[in-house]
Amino acid sequence: MKNPIQPATGAAASADVQATAQADVARALAEDVGAGDLTAALIDPARRVRARVLAREEAVICGAPWAEAALRALDPGVRLAWHVAEGQRCAADQVVLEIEGQARALLSAERTALNFLQLLSAVATKTRRYVDALAGTRAQIVDTRKTLPGLRMAQKYAVRMGGGTNHRIGLHDAVLIKENHIAAAGGVTAVLRAAQAAAGAKFIEIECETLAQLDEALQAGARMVLLDNMPLALLNEAVRLNAAHPAGPAVLEISGGVTLEGLRALAETGVDRISIGTLTKDVKAIDFSMRVQELA
């Protein structure tokens, strides 16, 4: 193994990330390996292998803590050498990881390790495309709760590796007041007052669909506003209203119908954040393969 970089589960991965990766991998291995890998059991238990993982297409590499957790769960002594750092780009057909370890363990962990790499690299790669499209603007790319069930923390980690920003984790850590909440609570001012009186949220955000709602929200003390599915002309007016408002300005976020093609125009309105569900919801897996190089 030549010129390895430091593995991702070293200083680059926090304890929270490692704990999340280990929990995700434990579920995945239980699902895949179950009581035992019947095919890997055909291999001599004393045999060791050396293998290489290749990325078949250009990508932002993400998921190393999960791949490492899968391999180490079945072979604690496995040797790993990463050739592309977490969050960095790789070229098509580039070797991203070399592995030495027990043959049975490596073969059993292969699919789980690659599944995490292909999913999380896909999220990071897609996020990076959106982030790159905003270069020179003030806007941040933000994720949503549209994640695969059980893998939210992993996908939100991948968004960060792609240069994006995480929104709330779930319903438990922030208040996001949407159209139905406003209707059920009796209006913009009433629901904001209720939210401001509550405790435990890291932030309070309210969705506005009209300039009148934005004005009322700002007057009621809103510090973060979600402008949902507004046409471009109305967005420009909303940004101007927010900047000039005596009670403002609030942090403005755009959501709804955002595409890569239209992203730049949205950012140039002067909004602060653009949230995009497709970062984690509509992803095409990056193609990775593992090839045994030699047996010893």
Side-chain angles (χ1 to χ4, degrees):
M1 301 188 201
K2 298 180 180 179
N3 301 321
I5 64 167
Q6 290 297 315
T9 51
S14 71
D16 286 346
V17 168
Q18 292 186 47
T20 297
Q22 289 166 4
D24 290 344
V25 163
R27 294 195 307 273
L29 288 175
E31 177 181 66
D32 198 32
V33 179
D37 182 343
L38 298 179
T39 311
L42 305 175
I43 308 298
D44 182 347
R47 188 169 297 278
R48 294 180 62 82
V49 298
R50 174 177 292 176
R52 300 169 18 160
V53 174
L54 291 88
R56 294 300 188 184
E57 55 189 305
E58 183 180 342
V60 174
I61 293 299
C62 183
W66 283 259
E68 290 194 14
L71 293 161
R72 294 193 193 281
L74 300 186
D75 180 4
V78 69
R79 295 177 57 195
L80 304 169
W82 290 93
H83 294 277
V84 181
E86 189 85 332
Q88 299 300 310
R89 297 183 192 271
C90 70
D93 297 320
Q94 182 174 353
V95 175
V96 299
L97 172 64
E98 289 185 286
I99 311 165
E100 290 182 11
Q102 299 169 0
R104 283 188 177 185
L106 193 154
L107 293 171
S108 294
E110 174 187 0
R111 186 68 266 154
T112 295
L114 294 185
N115 281 350
F116 281 111
L117 274 179
Q118 69 185 24
L119 170 65
L120 300 185
S121 294
V123 173
T125 301
K126 188 167 189 175
T127 302
R128 185 68 57 82
R129 291 195 191 105
Y130 280 81
V131 169
D132 288 347
L134 295 188
T137 72
R138 65 184 294 170
Q140 294 179 316
I141 293 296
V142 183
D143 58 24
T144 72
R145 290 166 48 239
K146 296 177 181 178
T147 54
L148 296 178
L151 291 176
R152 178 167 298 171
M153 299 306 293
Q155 288 193 282
K156 283 182 172 284
Y157 165 87
V159 168
R160 297 196 302 274
M161 289 301 100
T165 300
N166 294 151
H167 210 288
R168 59 178 175 165
I169 299 302
L171 299 175
H172 55 86
D173 67 328
V175 173
L176 178 48
I177 303 163
K178 307 197 85 173
E179 177 185 5
N180 287 336
H181 299 106
I182 294 170
V188 168
T189 300
V191 74
L192 272 173
R193 285 176 178 164
Q196 291 155 358
K202 68 179 182 182
F203 64 77
I204 298 170
E205 183 172 15
I206 186 165
E207 178 182 284
C208 293
E209 297 179 318
T210 67
L211 295 181
Q213 279 190 332
L214 174 59
D215 177 61
E216 183 181 356
L218 292 172
Q219 290 191 53
R223 307 314 307 148
M224 183 177 288
V225 176
L226 177 64
L227 305 174
D228 188 43
N229 282 298
M230 279 191 178
L232 196 58
L234 193 58
L235 282 174
N236 280 302
E237 288 298 320
V239 171
R240 284 193 285 270
L241 172 62
N242 181 59
H245 202 284
V251 173
L252 292 185
E253 178 180 327
I254 289 175
S255 177
V258 178
T259 65
L260 186 58
E261 294 73 23
L263 187 66
R264 185 81 189 183
L266 294 175
E268 288 176 346
T269 63
V271 296
D272 302 286
R273 294 152 57 98
I274 302 176
S275 54
I276 306 172
T278 59
L279 298 180
T280 52
K281 181 173 68 76
D282 302 323
V283 291
K284 178 181 179 296
I286 300 297
D287 188 7
F288 289 95
S289 65
M290 188 181 81
R291 292 291 179 265
V292 172
Q293 195 172 26
E294 61 184 59
L295 300 175

